[in-house]
Amino acid sequence: MTSFKSKLARLGPLPAERRGAAPLAVAQASLDRGPAVDGVGSSEAPPALAAAAPAPTDAAPAAASASPSTGVARPSLDDLRERISRIVARGAPPTPRADPARGELPFHVEQTPGGPLYASRTRSLAAARVGRAPLVAARDADPAMLALLSLDPALAGCDVRRALFLDTETTGLAGGTGTVPFLIGLAWFDPGADSAGPLGEPPSDGFVMEQLLLRRLGEEEPILRRLAERLADASMIVTYNGKAFDMPLLRTRYVMNRLPPPPELPHLDLVHVARRIHKARLKSRTLIALEHDVLGRVRVGDVPGGEIVACYAHFLRTGDEEALLGVVEHNAADVLAMVALVGLYGEPLGSLAAGDLAGAAATLRRAGALERAAELADAAVERGGGAVARRARGDIAKARGDKARALADYEALAAEIDDPSVRLELAKLYEHHVRSFARALELADQGTAEPEPAQARRRARLQRKVDRSAAALALPFGQAAGAGAVDGAPARPCSEPAAPQREGDARGREE
């Protein structure tokens, strides 16, 4: 038995013994008593052994977490959960305020069927300006002029007093379903306030600015429903690059929120108008650049467009409303700048610089309004518009059929700048209108803005005409008269119209 007891000791404590020592004590007592007599063993332990056996206690579960080898207690699953929660709570940012209307942002909350709507509404004074341009000038803008400058006839019948100016700040510039407009700026003309102004001034006309803020993602429905209401009351939309970005993005958000799409209204996108009017004077035609170079206003402390997304992400993550204050001011400045630009473009003759007038005149020529285009071109030349103004006036005169005016402007322009396209226009006029083939050939030899095969054909044709004219000079007077006009003959001064043939007819036969 001794060898068996030593082997048992080398095995270590049995599983049952790890929960309590009583079974081991009973086994050892049975071994000490020896074998049973006549096959009958004792059925109970001696009193001394029974008293020595430890009774089970409540401390047994705690012993289960102890390591058999080291005896160090291991943490339970509940302890681990508690430790993790303490670590996460230490680094968690504060949650955003439940009601931004009570914080630093200038918004008030409106309870709507679709949820809370955070809106800000202000009213401009009658004398408000953006730089040198008054806001109220947009109220009297000529819709026909805006339609011509935008090359969109649908705008001619719109009421500018019911125009809705719109600009959005979004979570990205890529568009698509993942981009969300979190701030929408709106402005419209209000014919009069119900009460006096803040300084006691009488009620007057002005523009109302309304901004709609998305407090957190997923609460777009009240904003989209308010925008639909504003669009329903408007006669036209005014944006800056809204045809390519803002409106397609907003229509996508209506689809994503399972709302009816907004009404389709005539759309004046000022970015296209600005590119046509200011392309000769301004290299950058962003809205901020126009505000600086055209309206004469410099933004101080403005949030750059590239930082707007980061500001809103910071607001969502931390609830820091101060991060959005600059974004709200940036959005308001963009909307008011569009209002001021409509006032300038709606009456360009009295507000635009000479170079910009030339761009407006060229745009009106494209639209077919030649008389109004000629008026703007004359004003541009008189105000010192330079080569750009002369080129615009020459092109307009040519389109109107005033070849003498066009010839004079192109000649002055050729003496001022070296432009192959100007020489091409002069070569055409000298060939088909003045019929001075030698002068036309001289201009063609200097180079025109044509492909090389076209230039070669033009020079060859002019050379044949010059040769025929020279041959006609060698004939007697009667025969020369029958052969046709002699090159350089003063039979028809430049101010007189061409022969019964038209320029297009002559070009078609000669080319």
Side-chain angles (χ1 to χ4, degrees):
M1 300 299 294
T2 303
S3 62
F4 178 75
K5 291 172 64 174
S6 62
K7 292 179 180 179
L8 187 63
R10 286 197 300 269
L11 291 175
L14 297 177
E17 292 173 349
R18 296 190 188 105
R19 293 190 296 270
L24 181 58
V26 173
Q28 290 178 349
S30 300
L31 293 175
D32 293 338
R33 289 174 57 191
V37 180
D38 297 332
V40 178
S42 177
S43 61
E44 59 184 18
L49 291 176
T57 61
D58 295 333
S65 61
S67 174
S69 59
T70 62
V72 180
R74 291 178 296 182
S76 65
L77 190 58
D78 293 336
D79 294 336
L80 293 175
R81 288 194 182 101
E82 184 179 355
R83 290 183 187 180
I84 293 174
S85 63
R86 287 199 301 266
I87 294 173
V88 173
R90 241 189 346 255
T95 57
R97 291 187 177 96
D99 189 0
R102 298 181 181 179
E104 300 178 6
L105 296 175
F107 291 91
H108 64 274
V109 61
E110 301 178 16
Q111 298 300 331
T112 68
L117 173 65
Y118 292 88
S120 172
R121 189 177 303 171
T122 57
R123 180 184 176 85
S124 67
L125 299 176
R129 290 174 172 266
V130 176
R132 67 177 69 94
L135 294 181
V136 293
R139 173 193 60 188
D140 303 322
D142 184 8
M145 177 61 71
L146 296 176
L148 293 173
L149 293 176
S150 63
L151 304 179
D152 186 358
L155 295 171
C158 295
D159 184 4
V160 182
R161 293 178 175 238
R162 294 177 52 221
L164 181 68
F165 298 83
L166 183 147
D167 185 63
T168 63
E169 309 300 336
T170 65
T171 58
L173 300 177
T177 57
T179 304
V180 178
F182 67 86
L183 182 62
I184 301 179
L186 306 172
W188 63 90
F189 175 72
D190 189 1
D194 297 333
S195 58
L199 301 179
E201 64 270 16
S204 60
D205 296 344
F207 279 87
V208 176
M209 162 75 70
E210 184 177 53
Q211 293 174 287
L212 309 175
L213 174 66
L214 182 64
R215 176 183 60 169
R216 61 172 58 99
L217 299 177
E219 296 182 351
E220 295 179 84
E221 181 179 347
I223 294 179
L224 296 177
R225 291 189 181 276
R226 174 61 60 85
L227 176 60
E229 295 174 1
R230 300 301 183 206
L231 290 172
D233 295 335
S235 65
M236 58 184 288
I237 309 172
V238 182
T239 64
Y240 200 87
N241 199 32
K243 285 185 176 180
F245 183 74
D246 298 80
M247 293 309 298
L249 176 61
L250 289 172
R251 282 191 285 267
T252 300
R253 301 318 303 172
Y254 277 93
V255 174
M256 296 296 293
N257 286 269
R258 299 182 179 181
L259 295 175
E264 296 284 348
L265 299 176
H267 192 161
L268 172 60
D269 195 339
L270 294 175
V271 70
H272 303 297
V273 179
R275 289 171 180 171
R276 297 182 188 113
I277 292 179
H278 308 292
K279 65 179 180 180
R281 189 168 71 92
L282 304 180
K283 294 183 179 180
S284 174
R285 289 176 288 275
T286 64
L287 188 55
I288 295 180
L290 293 180
E291 189 174 347
H292 178 271
D293 297 326
V294 178
L295 301 178
R297 176 187 176 183
V298 179
R299 296 190 190 183
V300 178
D302 183 57
V303 177
E307 299 180 6
I308 290 177
V309 177
C311 291
Y312 184 64
H314 178 73
F315 166 75
L316 292 179
R317 186 171 58 251
T318 66
D320 183 11
E321 298 178 356
E322 187 177 356
L324 278 186
L325 286 176
V327 178
V328 173
E329 295 175 358
H330 174 93
N331 178 258
D334 284 350
V335 176
L336 293 180
M338 289 191 294
V339 176
L341 287 175
V342 168
L344 261 67
Y345 297 153
E347 188 56 47
L349 191 58
S351 54
L352 291 179
D356 298 335
L357 276 177
T363 305
L364 294 185
R365 177 184 64 83
R366 289 181 56 188
L370 298 180
E371 296 300 326
R372 303 187 73 171
E375 181 182 3
L376 295 183
D378 290 339
V381 173
E382 293 173 1
R383 297 179 187 181
V388 177
R390 288 193 179 277
R391 178 60 188 266
R393 191 170 70 173
D395 292 342
I396 294 168
K398 178 183 175 183
R400 297 174 64 194
D402 189 354
K403 304 299 176 57
R405 174 79 271 175
L407 184 64
D409 284 330
Y410 289 145
E411 285 284 10
L413 192 60
E416 185 176 351
I417 62 175
D418 183 17
D419 189 347
S421 64
V422 176
R423 289 194 291 270
L424 175 62
E425 298 297 337
L426 283 173
K428 291 178 181 179
L429 288 173
Y430 275 112
E431 177 184 2
H432 302 297
H433 173 63
V434 183
R435 302 187 66 78
S436 177
F437 307 126
R439 173 60 176 160
L441 181 59
E442 178 186 355
L443 292 167
D445 289 337
Q446 296 177 14
T448 59
E450 293 177 296
E452 183 58 32
Q455 291 189 45
R457 289 194 300 270
R458 183 177 297 277
R459 286 195 295 267
R461 184 180 66 250
L462 289 172
Q463 186 62 54
R464 289 195 300 270
K465 292 183 177 182
V466 170
D467 294 341
R468 286 200 299 266
S469 299
L473 287 175
L475 297 175
F477 177 77
Q479 296 180 4
V486 179
D487 182 37
R492 187 181 69 252
C494 293
S495 58
E496 295 182 7
Q501 63 180 13
R502 295 189 301 272
E503 178 184 354
D505 298 337
R507 186 183 300 110
R509 289 194 300 270
E510 296 293 344
E511 296 182 357

